[in-house]
Amino acid sequence: MFENTMIVQSAISAFNNAALAAPAFLWWAILAMPLFALVWFCGNAFLQRVGWNARNIMPRASLWTVLMTLAWVVMFGGNYGVLRDNVTILPFMVAAIVFVSAMFIGTYSKQIKLPKFRGASRKQKYGILGAWLIVLVIVGLSDLHAWWGPILQIGALLIGLLIGRAPRREMRPVAGTLLIILATTVAILMQPEFFRFGQLGALTPVHLMALILMSMLVAATVALRNVRPRGIIRHSAYVKLKWLGRFIAILCMALFVLTESVPVFLGMTLMFFVVFALSVAHAEKIPEHIDENVYAMAIGLFGVITTMPVLTALGILYWGMLPRANNIRRMGFLL
């Protein structure tokens, strides 16, 4: 009864049951509403102080989203006692997120000159080595389920930074950020208990609805930024195709609710993209900045799912920086 294994497993089971009955991310978002209201009303003063404006907020918001996601994946995960088998691919998924995030950060930090080791004083050398050692130890401690875990994570970080800082290598800010957001959401869905999100096979409707909305926002942003409005689809054909796409998308949603499967989630995201791409291709013109509005919503919702208030606040700041309009109604043509 008092064996270590029994105590740990009982604690994990109790934690998961509590997470299922009361989704923490939802209550955190509700309790943080006064903070978000303060960000909305006082955000302009903050943006002016840090030098952010409508021209540079997209790359800077994207960079900070990736930075916080990398820190979250490294420091918030690591609960390997809840993995259900010994052949899980979650460590490799986390390493992939670390690699792409490091490559993104390396791309947008090229203009920052790193302190050079050669020619530095002894004190500066110790400071440089100490800073790198702290970062590498933190990254390595994020994966202790096997002897090769720290090597995998540290290697992913270093290789990603080297590739990102290489000349003629660049990631687009929105595309790279959406890739990292989607990959992190998939990792959460793969093993929700690893990230304290819930328990696989028993997610509540609140968990599932948050994941479905995240899928829709990512697909909508990709469609709005990559599909050109041409108005080339006949209206009669468009109506039929749109209803067919809606029907298949609803079926995917129902199947995802029943199975909570990662392949179904990815297929649902693809189907959402097809529906939204049809809407954009059929339109003669899309509202200005609508893609940025959806992108800001994606950042904010991702912050809610991962319980990172800084990302939700960042999404609110981004939304507030865009021209004021009835943006929710303007998004209606996508559906």
Side-chain angles (χ1 to χ4, degrees), residues 2 18 34 39 57 68 72 97 114 126 129 149-150 153 155 161 191 205 220 238 260 281 288-289 296 305 319 323 325:
F2 295 102
V39 171
I57 190 170
M68 294 303 302
W72 183 85
I97 296 172
L114 298 178
Y126 285 145
L129 288 175
Q153 304 300 332
L161 287 175
Q191 307 243 244
Y238 167 75
E260 301 175 12
E288 292 185 3
H289 304 288
I305 291 176
W319 180 284

Side-chain angles (χ1 to χ4, degrees), residues 42-159:
C42 303
N44 288 334
F46 171 78
L47 292 175
Q48 291 176 3
R49 184 174 292 273
V50 298
W52 289 20
N53 51 52
R55 294 188 301 274
N56 61 22
I57 190 170
M58 178 186 289
R60 295 188 179 184
S62 301
L63 178 59
W64 276 102
T65 300
V66 174
L67 280 169
M68 294 303 302
T69 303
L70 175 61
W72 183 85
V73 168
V74 168
M75 303 180 69
F76 201 73
N79 188 13
Y80 285 95
V82 300
L83 297 185
R84 289 173 295 281
D85 50 62
N86 295 324
V87 292
T88 178
I89 64 171
L90 184 62
F92 301 99
M93 186 68 180
V94 172
I97 296 172
V98 171
F99 170 76
V100 178
S101 300
M103 188 164 59
F104 186 98
I105 294 168
T107 297
Y108 289 94
S109 63
K110 291 179 181 178
Q111 65 273 20
I112 301 176
K113 294 183 178 180
L114 298 178
K116 295 182 178 180
F117 193 77
R118 182 180 298 178
S121 64
R122 178 176 297 181
K123 184 177 181 181
Q124 291 174 332
K125 290 181 179 179
Y126 285 145
I128 296 170
L129 288 175
W132 275 107
L133 183 62
I134 292 172
V135 172
L136 296 180
V137 167
I138 292 175
V139 174
L141 290 176
S142 67
D143 188 351
L144 296 177
H145 81 291
W147 64 268
W148 47 265
I151 300 175
L152 177 66
Q153 304 300 332
I154 292 175
L157 177 72
L158 295 178
I159 294 173

Side-chain angles (χ1 to χ4, degrees), residues 8-312:
V8 172
Q9 292 297 331
S10 299
I12 292 172
S13 178
F15 177 85
N16 285 335
N17 291 336
L20 293 175
F25 75 94
L26 173 65
W27 305 124
W28 163 84
I30 293 175
L31 291 174
M33 289 300 291
L35 174 63
F36 298 151
L38 186 64
V39 171
W40 173 258
F41 289 111
C42 303
N44 288 334
F46 171 78
L47 292 175
Q48 291 176 3
R49 184 174 292 273
V50 298
W52 289 20
N53 51 52
R55 294 188 301 274
N56 61 22
I57 190 170
M58 178 186 289
R60 295 188 179 184
S62 301
L63 178 59
W64 276 102
T65 300
V66 174
L67 280 169
M68 294 303 302
T69 303
L70 175 61
W72 183 85
V73 168
V74 168
M75 303 180 69
F76 201 73
N79 188 13
Y80 285 95
V82 300
L83 297 185
R84 289 173 295 281
D85 50 62
N86 295 324
V87 292
T88 178
I89 64 171
L90 184 62
F92 301 99
M93 186 68 180
V94 172
I97 296 172
V98 171
F99 170 76
V100 178
S101 300
M103 188 164 59
F104 186 98
I105 294 168
T107 297
Y108 289 94
S109 63
K110 291 179 181 178
Q111 65 273 20
I112 301 176
K113 294 183 178 180
L114 298 178
K116 295 182 178 180
F117 193 77
R118 182 180 298 178
S121 64
R122 178 176 297 181
K123 184 177 181 181
Q124 291 174 332
K125 290 181 179 179
Y126 285 145
I128 296 170
L129 288 175
W132 275 107
L133 183 62
I134 292 172
V135 172
L136 296 180
V137 167
I138 292 175
V139 174
L141 290 176
S142 67
D143 188 351
L144 296 177
H145 81 291
W147 64 268
W148 47 265
I151 300 175
L152 177 66
Q153 304 300 332
I154 292 175
L157 177 72
L158 295 178
I159 294 173
L161 287 175
L162 288 175
I163 294 176
R165 292 186 66 87
R168 298 182 181 180
R169 296 281 183 178
E170 187 173 353
M171 295 180 68
R172 291 186 295 173
V174 177
T177 305
L178 288 177
L179 176 61
I180 294 168
I181 288 176
L182 183 61
T184 306
T185 305
V186 169
I188 293 172
L189 181 59
M190 287 171 60
Q191 307 243 244
E193 63 271 33
F194 181 86
F195 296 104
R196 285 81 168 176
F197 186 70
Q199 186 174 2
L200 187 66
L203 295 180
T204 65
V206 176
H207 292 92
L208 297 173
M209 183 57 64
L211 294 173
I212 291 172
L213 289 175
M214 191 76 255
S215 172
M216 294 179 68
L217 291 175
V218 170
T221 307
V222 174
L224 287 167
R225 294 189 63 84
N226 293 276
V227 180
R228 294 183 179 180
R230 298 177 181 271
I232 58 176
I233 304 177
R234 280 186 178 182
H235 183 71
S236 59
Y238 167 75
V239 171
K240 295 175 183 177
L241 290 173
K242 193 65 179 289
W243 275 109
L244 178 62
R246 290 168 180 165
F247 180 73
I248 298 176
I250 292 173
L251 286 180
C252 291
M253 291 171 58
L255 189 60
F256 172 67
V257 170
L258 292 174
T259 63
E260 301 175 12
S261 170
V262 171
V264 175
F265 176 80
L266 295 176
M268 178 181 65
T269 304
L270 178 61
M271 199 60 232
F272 284 147
F273 169 76
V274 171
V275 173
F276 298 147
L278 280 173
S279 301
V280 176
H282 176 68
E284 297 286 346
K285 182 181 179 183
I286 60 175
E288 292 185 3
H289 304 288
I290 195 69
D291 57 327
E292 295 186 75
N293 288 117
V294 179
Y295 181 50
M297 291 175 64
I299 294 175
L301 179 60
F302 184 67
V304 171
I305 291 176
T306 55
T307 61
M308 284 193 285
V310 65
L311 291 190
T312 304

